[in-house]
mmCIF file of all heavy atoms in Angstrom:
data_model
loop_
_atom_site.group_PDB
_atom_site.id
_atom_site.type_symbol
_atom_site.label_atom_id
_atom_site.label_comp_id
_atom_site.label_asym_id
_atom_site.label_seq_id
_atom_site.Cartn_x
_atom_site.Cartn_y
_atom_site.Cartn_z
ATOM 1 N N TRP A 1 8.482 -5.750 56.083
ATOM 2 C CA TRP A 1 9.380 -6.894 56.046
ATOM 3 C C TRP A 1 8.674 -8.174 56.482
ATOM 4 O O TRP A 1 8.950 -9.255 55.934
ATOM 5 C CB TRP A 1 10.623 -6.625 56.882
ATOM 6 C CG TRP A 1 11.605 -5.727 56.216
ATOM 7 C CD1 TRP A 1 11.858 -4.423 56.499
ATOM 8 C CD2 TRP A 1 12.422 -6.073 55.109
ATOM 9 N NE1 TRP A 1 12.795 -3.918 55.652
ATOM 10 C CE2 TRP A 1 13.180 -4.902 54.778
ATOM 11 C CE3 TRP A 1 12.636 -7.220 54.351
ATOM 12 C CZ2 TRP A 1 14.089 -4.873 53.735
ATOM 13 C CZ3 TRP A 1 13.532 -7.204 53.326
ATOM 14 C CH2 TRP A 1 14.252 -6.049 53.005
ATOM 15 N N ALA A 2 7.793 -8.092 57.473
ATOM 16 C CA ALA A 2 7.091 -9.271 57.926
ATOM 17 C C ALA A 2 6.207 -9.822 56.801
ATOM 18 O O ALA A 2 6.119 -11.033 56.563
ATOM 19 C CB ALA A 2 6.239 -8.941 59.160
ATOM 20 N N THR A 3 5.547 -8.930 56.054
ATOM 21 C CA THR A 3 4.693 -9.364 54.963
ATOM 22 C C THR A 3 5.518 -9.987 53.813
ATOM 23 O O THR A 3 5.170 -11.034 53.305
ATOM 24 C CB THR A 3 3.909 -8.150 54.408
ATOM 25 O OG1 THR A 3 3.103 -7.607 55.449
ATOM 26 C CG2 THR A 3 3.020 -8.584 53.250
ATOM 27 N N LEU A 4 6.640 -9.331 53.463
ATOM 28 C CA LEU A 4 7.487 -9.834 52.397
ATOM 29 C C LEU A 4 8.076 -11.219 52.766
ATOM 30 O O LEU A 4 8.114 -12.131 51.939
ATOM 31 C CB LEU A 4 8.602 -8.864 52.083
ATOM 32 C CG LEU A 4 8.205 -7.522 51.441
ATOM 33 C CD1 LEU A 4 9.405 -6.626 51.259
ATOM 34 C CD2 LEU A 4 7.492 -7.767 50.119
ATOM 35 N N LEU A 5 8.515 -11.380 54.018
ATOM 36 C CA LEU A 5 9.055 -12.652 54.456
ATOM 37 C C LEU A 5 7.976 -13.717 54.500
ATOM 38 O O LEU A 5 8.236 -14.906 54.193
ATOM 39 C CB LEU A 5 9.721 -12.506 55.822
ATOM 40 C CG LEU A 5 11.039 -11.755 55.848
ATOM 41 C CD1 LEU A 5 11.466 -11.445 57.270
ATOM 42 C CD2 LEU A 5 12.128 -12.544 55.117
ATOM 43 N N PHE A 6 6.771 -13.362 54.890
ATOM 44 C CA PHE A 6 5.657 -14.288 54.911
ATOM 45 C C PHE A 6 5.366 -14.814 53.494
ATOM 46 O O PHE A 6 5.245 -16.040 53.271
ATOM 47 C CB PHE A 6 4.411 -13.616 55.488
ATOM 48 C CG PHE A 6 3.252 -14.519 55.676
ATOM 49 C CD1 PHE A 6 3.112 -15.290 56.835
ATOM 50 C CD2 PHE A 6 2.241 -14.596 54.713
ATOM 51 C CE1 PHE A 6 2.049 -16.132 57.007
ATOM 52 C CE2 PHE A 6 1.147 -15.436 54.893
ATOM 53 C CZ PHE A 6 1.046 -16.197 56.038
ATOM 54 N N ILE A 7 5.300 -13.924 52.530
ATOM 55 C CA ILE A 7 5.062 -14.327 51.133
ATOM 56 C C ILE A 7 6.242 -15.144 50.616
ATOM 57 O O ILE A 7 6.062 -16.183 49.975
ATOM 58 C CB ILE A 7 4.853 -13.076 50.268
ATOM 59 C CG1 ILE A 7 3.569 -12.347 50.704
ATOM 60 C CG2 ILE A 7 4.771 -13.462 48.793
ATOM 61 C CD1 ILE A 7 3.368 -11.015 50.030
ATOM 62 N N GLY A 8 7.476 -14.706 50.928
ATOM 63 C CA GLY A 8 8.652 -15.423 50.489
ATOM 64 C C GLY A 8 8.715 -16.838 51.048
ATOM 65 O O GLY A 8 9.108 -17.785 50.343
ATOM 66 N N GLY A 9 8.333 -16.997 52.305
ATOM 67 C CA GLY A 9 8.344 -18.318 52.899
ATOM 68 C C GLY A 9 7.328 -19.249 52.254
ATOM 69 O O GLY A 9 7.652 -20.435 52.013
ATOM 70 N N GLY A 10 6.148 -18.741 51.947
ATOM 71 C CA GLY A 10 5.164 -19.570 51.276
ATOM 72 C C GLY A 10 5.615 -19.984 49.881
ATOM 73 O O GLY A 10 5.435 -21.139 49.478
ATOM 74 N N LEU A 11 6.204 -19.039 49.133
ATOM 75 C CA LEU A 11 6.692 -19.362 47.799
ATOM 76 C C LEU A 11 7.843 -20.365 47.841
ATOM 77 O O LEU A 11 7.931 -21.265 47.014
ATOM 78 C CB LEU A 11 7.124 -18.098 47.071
ATOM 79 C CG LEU A 11 6.004 -17.084 46.757
ATOM 80 C CD1 LEU A 11 6.597 -15.807 46.149
ATOM 81 C CD2 LEU A 11 4.972 -17.700 45.808
ATOM 82 N N PHE A 12 8.741 -20.177 48.828
ATOM 83 C CA PHE A 12 9.858 -21.128 48.987
ATOM 84 C C PHE A 12 9.368 -22.530 49.257
ATOM 85 O O PHE A 12 9.880 -23.513 48.704
ATOM 86 C CB PHE A 12 10.755 -20.643 50.111
ATOM 87 C CG PHE A 12 11.946 -21.540 50.371
ATOM 88 C CD1 PHE A 12 13.060 -21.502 49.578
ATOM 89 C CD2 PHE A 12 11.923 -22.420 51.454
ATOM 90 C CE1 PHE A 12 14.133 -22.329 49.831
ATOM 91 C CE2 PHE A 12 13.003 -23.238 51.717
ATOM 92 C CZ PHE A 12 14.126 -23.196 50.888
ATOM 93 N N ALA A 13 8.361 -22.658 50.125
ATOM 94 C CA ALA A 13 7.818 -23.967 50.443
ATOM 95 C C ALA A 13 7.165 -24.599 49.209
ATOM 96 O O ALA A 13 7.369 -25.796 48.952
ATOM 97 C CB ALA A 13 6.776 -23.853 51.555
ATOM 98 N N PHE A 14 6.424 -23.809 48.456
ATOM 99 C CA PHE A 14 5.658 -24.345 47.347
ATOM 100 C C PHE A 14 6.541 -24.756 46.166
ATOM 101 O O PHE A 14 6.354 -25.813 45.554
ATOM 102 C CB PHE A 14 4.639 -23.324 46.868
ATOM 103 C CG PHE A 14 3.609 -23.867 45.916
ATOM 104 C CD1 PHE A 14 2.508 -24.564 46.378
ATOM 105 C CD2 PHE A 14 3.744 -23.686 44.559
ATOM 106 C CE1 PHE A 14 1.577 -25.075 45.522
ATOM 107 C CE2 PHE A 14 2.822 -24.210 43.669
ATOM 108 C CZ PHE A 14 1.733 -24.897 44.164
ATOM 109 N N PHE A 15 7.549 -23.921 45.866
ATOM 110 C CA PHE A 15 8.335 -24.167 44.656
ATOM 111 C C PHE A 15 9.665 -24.891 44.903
ATOM 112 O O PHE A 15 10.240 -25.445 43.962
ATOM 113 C CB PHE A 15 8.633 -22.836 43.942
ATOM 114 C CG PHE A 15 7.424 -22.200 43.326
ATOM 115 C CD1 PHE A 15 6.823 -21.113 43.907
ATOM 116 C CD2 PHE A 15 6.852 -22.716 42.167
ATOM 117 C CE1 PHE A 15 5.689 -20.526 43.339
ATOM 118 C CE2 PHE A 15 5.750 -22.156 41.575
ATOM 119 C CZ PHE A 15 5.159 -21.051 42.175
ATOM 120 N N VAL A 16 10.130 -24.896 46.156
ATOM 121 C CA VAL A 16 11.431 -25.513 46.435
ATOM 122 C C VAL A 16 11.305 -26.741 47.334
ATOM 123 O O VAL A 16 11.775 -27.819 47.005
ATOM 124 C CB VAL A 16 12.393 -24.485 47.071
ATOM 125 C CG1 VAL A 16 13.742 -25.145 47.408
ATOM 126 C CG2 VAL A 16 12.614 -23.296 46.154
ATOM 127 N N VAL A 17 10.665 -26.558 48.503
ATOM 128 C CA VAL A 17 10.604 -27.629 49.491
ATOM 129 C C VAL A 17 9.653 -28.736 49.087
ATOM 130 O O VAL A 17 10.033 -29.940 49.087
ATOM 131 C CB VAL A 17 10.225 -27.089 50.864
ATOM 132 C CG1 VAL A 17 10.111 -28.203 51.879
ATOM 133 C CG2 VAL A 17 11.286 -26.067 51.326
ATOM 134 N N LEU A 18 8.425 -28.405 48.729
ATOM 135 C CA LEU A 18 7.419 -29.407 48.455
ATOM 136 C C LEU A 18 7.778 -30.342 47.319
ATOM 137 O O LEU A 18 7.592 -31.566 47.471
ATOM 138 C CB LEU A 18 6.051 -28.733 48.214
ATOM 139 C CG LEU A 18 5.314 -28.300 49.487
ATOM 140 C CD1 LEU A 18 4.084 -27.485 49.149
ATOM 141 C CD2 LEU A 18 4.939 -29.510 50.328
ATOM 142 N N PRO A 19 8.251 -29.851 46.154
ATOM 143 C CA PRO A 19 8.608 -30.815 45.094
ATOM 144 C C PRO A 19 9.638 -31.827 45.547
ATOM 145 O O PRO A 19 9.525 -33.032 45.187
ATOM 146 C CB PRO A 19 9.143 -29.913 43.996
ATOM 147 C CG PRO A 19 8.459 -28.580 44.210
ATOM 148 C CD PRO A 19 8.371 -28.447 45.693
ATOM 149 N N ARG A 20 10.641 -31.406 46.303
ATOM 150 C CA ARG A 20 11.672 -32.325 46.765
ATOM 151 C C ARG A 20 11.122 -33.280 47.852
ATOM 152 O O ARG A 20 11.470 -34.468 47.883
ATOM 153 C CB ARG A 20 12.859 -31.549 47.313
ATOM 154 C CG ARG A 20 13.643 -30.882 46.203
ATOM 155 C CD ARG A 20 14.552 -29.775 46.716
ATOM 156 N NE ARG A 20 15.373 -29.217 45.624
ATOM 157 C CZ ARG A 20 14.925 -28.386 44.709
ATOM 158 N NH1 ARG A 20 13.664 -27.996 44.724
ATOM 159 N NH2 ARG A 20 15.745 -27.935 43.789
ATOM 160 N N LEU A 21 10.289 -32.770 48.712
ATOM 161 C CA LEU A 21 9.701 -33.607 49.747
ATOM 162 C C LEU A 21 8.754 -34.646 49.134
ATOM 163 O O LEU A 21 8.773 -35.839 49.504
ATOM 164 C CB LEU A 21 8.933 -32.739 50.758
ATOM 165 C CG LEU A 21 8.569 -33.356 52.104
ATOM 166 C CD1 LEU A 21 9.833 -33.829 52.815
ATOM 167 C CD2 LEU A 21 7.834 -32.343 52.957
ATOM 168 N N LEU A 22 7.946 -34.219 48.204
ATOM 169 C CA LEU A 22 7.029 -35.143 47.539
ATOM 170 C C LEU A 22 7.813 -36.154 46.674
ATOM 171 O O LEU A 22 7.384 -37.313 46.553
ATOM 172 C CB LEU A 22 6.028 -34.374 46.682
ATOM 173 C CG LEU A 22 4.986 -33.556 47.484
ATOM 174 C CD1 LEU A 22 4.189 -32.674 46.540
ATOM 175 C CD2 LEU A 22 4.074 -34.480 48.257
ATOM 176 N N LEU A 23 8.909 -35.720 46.101
ATOM 177 C CA LEU A 23 9.742 -36.639 45.319
ATOM 178 C C LEU A 23 10.217 -37.790 46.207
ATOM 179 O O LEU A 23 10.246 -38.936 45.768
ATOM 180 C CB LEU A 23 10.920 -35.858 44.717
ATOM 181 C CG LEU A 23 11.861 -36.714 43.826
ATOM 182 C CD1 LEU A 23 11.115 -37.229 42.601
ATOM 183 C CD2 LEU A 23 13.067 -35.868 43.412
ATOM 184 N N TYR A 24 10.598 -37.460 47.418
ATOM 185 C CA TYR A 24 11.027 -38.530 48.340
ATOM 186 C C TYR A 24 9.851 -39.438 48.713
ATOM 187 O O TYR A 24 9.969 -40.672 48.671
ATOM 188 C CB TYR A 24 11.654 -37.917 49.580
ATOM 189 C CG TYR A 24 11.826 -38.923 50.702
ATOM 190 C CD1 TYR A 24 12.836 -39.878 50.636
ATOM 191 C CD2 TYR A 24 10.940 -38.948 51.775
ATOM 192 C CE1 TYR A 24 12.985 -40.817 51.627
ATOM 193 C CE2 TYR A 24 11.062 -39.908 52.760
ATOM 194 C CZ TYR A 24 12.094 -40.832 52.690
ATOM 195 O OH TYR A 24 12.233 -41.769 53.682
#
């Protein structure tokens, strides 16, 4: 679970958070 959450967090940042943050 720690590995899956680690990967999920990185993907969430890259595909969800960063585009919106950079857009601002």
Side-chain angles (χ1 to χ4, degrees):
W1 283 106
T3 301
L4 292 177
L5 288 170
F6 186 84
I7 296 172
L11 294 175
F12 179 78
F14 192 82
F15 290 106
V16 178
V17 176
L18 281 173
R20 288 161 175 78
L21 196 59
L22 290 172
L23 181 64
Y24 167 75

